[in-house]
Amino acid sequence: MKKPSVTELLQLLDKPELIQWANKQGLKGIDINEKRKEYLSIGNSIHSQIESYVRNGENFISLDVQNRFKMFISDKEILSIETSIETDYFVGRYDMKIKWNGKIYIIDFKSNHKSIYLENRLQLVGYAMAESCDSFAIVSVPDFTILNFKIANRKPYEEILKSLSNIYNLKNQIENGKLQ
């Protein structure tokens, strides 16, 4: 059976913040489907530009964004970028692994991110189940603001991810008629 991605597992969770955001957008007359496509497009573009710059030295579309990335990375060592992982429960792909201030971080780039959510913690702990690290960071793009955080006890997050994997697999079996 195909393993789910970390993203697919996180889609099983209720996201009350997302509902509040969608409501605000709707009250402003904004089509959230179009807004979501816009955010995904911007996020994918920035990810691609970062990877192309790191791997091949290709310039960003915006020199200003490129300079902010160069400033962000100037005191960090890039250990890996856009790396696929696999555990017994799921697969995934993390954005970047860096060494900073003597510690190893797995980081995730997010568009215009201001807070750390449960889903962010779960996603990064999931990656750490396959790749060791000391800590985590969300990096808000395109400004490259660092929201770093440490999780002292990763076990509860790992258990949530394992449970979500089990729920995901059972749900798929039920939907495919393999369980009645």
Side-chain angles (χ1 to χ4, degrees):
M1 181 182 329
K2 178 185 162 281
K3 291 181 187 175
S5 69
V6 174
T7 302
E8 289 172 314
L9 296 183
L10 296 179
Q11 289 172 347
L12 296 171
L13 295 174
D14 183 35
K15 297 174 186 72
E17 298 88 8
L18 189 57
I19 293 170
Q20 291 170 4
W21 172 81
N23 186 50
K24 286 179 186 176
Q25 300 302 305
L27 291 172
K28 292 177 186 175
I30 297 170
D31 180 344
I32 62 168
N33 292 323
E34 291 303 315
K35 196 61 144 172
R36 186 171 182 274
K37 285 180 195 173
E38 178 186 329
Y39 284 154
L40 287 173
S41 175
I42 291 168
N44 289 339
S45 174
I46 292 284
H47 278 79
S48 295
Q49 291 176 67
I50 291 168
E51 183 178 15
S52 294
Y53 181 83
V54 170
R55 291 194 193 279
N56 309 317
E58 293 176 22
N59 288 330
F60 281 61
I61 294 169
S62 162
L63 184 59
D64 185 45
V65 174
Q66 179 173 311
N67 287 335
R68 283 193 298 255
F69 176 73
K70 285 169 68 174
M71 191 69 145
F72 159 74
I73 207 66
S74 65
D75 61 344
K76 298 161 189 74
E77 177 186 352
I78 299 172
L79 302 175
S80 56
I81 186 165
E82 295 296 336
T83 302
S84 296
I85 60 100
E86 183 172 351
T87 71
D88 291 339
Y89 305 95
F90 52 83
V91 296
R93 186 176 173 96
Y94 66 81
D95 293 343
M96 189 177 280
K97 189 174 186 179
I98 61 170
K99 186 172 185 178
W100 180 39
N101 293 330
K103 294 186 177 178
I104 306 296
Y105 288 78
I106 293 179
I107 63 174
D108 193 46
F109 295 107
K110 299 281 187 198
S111 297
N112 299 308
H113 221 64
K114 305 286 185 247
S115 301
I116 306 291
Y117 299 106
L118 172 65
E119 293 83 2
N120 303 136
R121 288 180 170 88
L122 287 167
Q123 179 182 18
L124 290 166
V125 167
Y127 299 150
M129 289 170 71
E131 289 269 337
S132 65
C133 68
D134 300 311
S135 200
F136 309 100
I138 297 293
V139 177
S140 180
V141 293
D143 60 349
F144 294 96
T145 303
I146 302 169
L147 304 167
N148 64 355
F149 58 97
K150 184 173 174 119
I151 299 174
N153 182 5
R154 298 179 187 179
K155 192 75 174 154
Y157 296 91
E158 292 172 358
E159 291 304 317
I160 289 172
L161 288 163
K162 290 174 187 177
S163 296
L164 286 172
S165 177
N166 191 39
I167 291 167
Y168 180 91
N169 290 326
L170 289 169
K171 180 177 178 271
N172 279 347
Q173 289 176 29
I174 289 167
E175 289 173 349
N176 292 324
K178 294 180 181 172
L179 294 176
Q180 304 252 347

